[in-house]
Each structure stands twice: as structure tokens, then as C-alpha cells.
Amino acid sequence: MDDAVPETPAVAEEEPAYDPAAPAPLNVPRTPTGDADVDAALDRLGDADHLATDGHLEVYEDVHRGLRDALTALDARPGPPAPPSQHGPRS
């Protein structure tokens, strides 16, 4: 009697069929701005690369909210002091 286990043939993995509606990276370059909040919001756009189209809206709204908050924060910062008047105080 033969105790050897017969080898099962290797099953070749099938390549998935091309699906034009499947998520695909857009590979849009994003240049860092130097502002951490803005850069984080722009990096978030990369999340849309892995989502079906119906998931893009949530990402875009999140990025828009982050950019709007970054702009609002600029308005809240105090600006530089006003230059002194060259004419001195008026009497």
C-alpha cells in the first residue's frame, strides 16, 4: 500500500477582468505648500484614489472643510503691528 498523498495540481490564480468602473489612482501630483493643515487636507485627496466614484464626495467635502478652516484660521491670526506714523501725534 502506498502512503504517499497524491499531489493536487496547482490552481492558477485568475487575473481579475478589466473593470472600467473600478477605482483607479488618478496620480495627480500634490506639491507641498509648507502649511501643515493645507498639506494634510491635500494629502487626504489621495484617499479618493482607492474609492469607487460614489465615495469621492465624502473625501472632497472633507478636504473642502479642511481648506476652508485653514483660510478661516488666517483671518483669526493677529497681523503685524501697524507702522508708526511719520507725522507724530496730532494735537
Side-chain angles (χ1 to χ4, degrees), residues 3-85:
D3 290 336
V5 176
E7 286 188 36
T8 55
V11 177
E13 290 187 31
E14 292 182 29
E15 287 190 31
Y18 174 70
D19 180 2
L26 296 175
N27 296 320
V28 175
R30 290 180 292 278
T31 305
T33 65
D35 183 291
D37 293 333
V38 172
D39 290 341
L42 294 177
D43 285 343
R44 172 88 165 98
L45 286 173
D47 294 344
D49 287 350
H50 309 288
L51 298 172
T53 307
D54 61 351
H56 289 191
L57 183 60
E58 180 181 343
V59 173
Y60 295 154
E61 286 177 343
D62 188 40
V63 170
H64 181 258
R65 189 171 25 259
L67 293 174
R68 188 181 59 230
D69 290 348
L71 286 172
T72 301
L74 290 175
D75 289 338
R77 291 186 199 160
S85 172

Side-chain angles (χ1 to χ4, degrees), residues 79-89:
S85 172
Q86 294 179 353
H87 302 290

